[in-house]
Amino acid sequence: DQQVKQNSPSLSVQEGRISILNCDYTNSMFDYFLWYKKYPAEGPTFLISISSIKDKNEDGRFTVFLNKSAKHLSLHIVPSQPGDSAVYFCAASVALRGEKLTFGTGTRLTIIP
Amino acid sequence: NAGVMQNPRHLVRRRGQEARLRCSPMKGHSHVYWYRQLPEEGLKFMVYLQKENIIDESGMPKERFSAEFPKEGPSILRIQQVVRGDSAAYFCASSTYPAEAGNTIYFGEGSWLTVV
């Protein structure tokens, strides 16, 4: 039962353009959502998060949007840079259970110079 | 990722052998989490430990897997009688306090177990 889904295994974007990564979830108990970035042979690194009481959170080039009614969130990266090439994981948790994150399967983002 | 140390980074075991994966949390962190990533899948929660206590092991397979976090020394994830399906990347993470929704968790670089 995949409660967090990233339906696009890979995405290629031209440098300087916007990268949009999508994530859907099925468990309505989730109320905190996170994006992690992962390079090969390394552990995930926290990127940005959003609480269910918000619909948008912005941090520099990264913006996460949450649509609770659609159970959908997206990560926007603009402008995209070559160093953004990595696997991006969407994750979700229930409040006060931050230690138990449920991850999606990841989207491999490739930025084309 | 800085600070959470995992070893070995790569481990090869024959079927039926034991695998021991170690995790030293970041300095000052007393909460440790283990996650497993099977090929082509996302990370899946296995266990959450504090010093000398298992807090939540709901993600651990019922048999052959155990974890500990002693008062002194690293956290150990132990897999007995390994099978090919145990081949995966095992990630340890740590936090100062019980993690508040994940953004205070720091992951290590992972241990890749291959069972032949």
Side-chain angles (χ1 to χ4, degrees), chain B residues 2-3 15 19 35 44 66 71 90 97 101 104 108:
Chain B
R15 280 178 294 172
Y35 283 79
K44 293 195 188 306
S66 62
K71 186 176 179 181
Y90 292 83
Y97 304 108
T104 56

Side-chain angles (χ1 to χ4, degrees), chain A residues 18-86:
Chain A
I18 184 171
S19 296
I20 300 176
L21 296 97
N22 294 304
C23 178
D24 298 291
Y25 62 96
T26 57
N27 188 343
S28 56
M29 296 294 291
F30 289 145
D31 57 5
Y32 203 89
F33 305 89
L34 309 93
W35 285 94
Y36 283 84
K37 179 179 180 180
K38 185 180 180 303
Y39 292 116
E42 293 187 11
T45 302
F46 170 75
L47 201 55
I48 193 169
S49 62
I50 188 167
S51 163
S52 60
I53 62 173
K54 295 186 176 182
D55 55 19
K56 177 183 175 181
N57 188 27
E58 194 172 350
D59 183 2
R61 296 186 298 114
F62 303 93
T63 303
V64 55
F65 295 92
L66 175 62
N67 182 334
K68 279 187 64 179
S69 61
K71 293 192 176 66
H72 177 84
L73 62 155
S74 61
L75 173 68
H76 293 211
I77 307 172
V78 55
S80 300
Q81 300 174 354
D84 296 331
S85 294

Side-chain angles (χ1 to χ4, degrees), chain A residues 1-2 32 34 36 38 40-46 49 89 93-106, chain B residues 1 9 33 35 37 40-45 48 56 58-59 91 98-103 105-110 112:
Chain A
D1 177 29
Q2 191 67 28
Y32 203 89
L34 309 93
Y36 283 84
K38 185 180 180 303
E42 293 187 11
T45 302
F46 170 75
S49 62
F89 289 97
S93 71
V94 176
L96 302 180
R97 297 306 306 271
E99 74 279 1
K100 200 168 179 178
L101 300 172
T102 300
F103 283 84
T105 52
Chain B
N1 294 341
R9 292 296 311 279
Y33 318 84
Y35 283 79
Q37 184 182 18
E40 308 304 322
E41 295 188 13
L43 283 75
K44 293 195 188 306
F45 169 81
Y48 163 38
D56 184 343
S58 58
F91 291 96
E100 291 180 5
N103 56 332
I105 293 177
Y106 297 88
F107 282 85
E109 295 189 331
W112 269 256

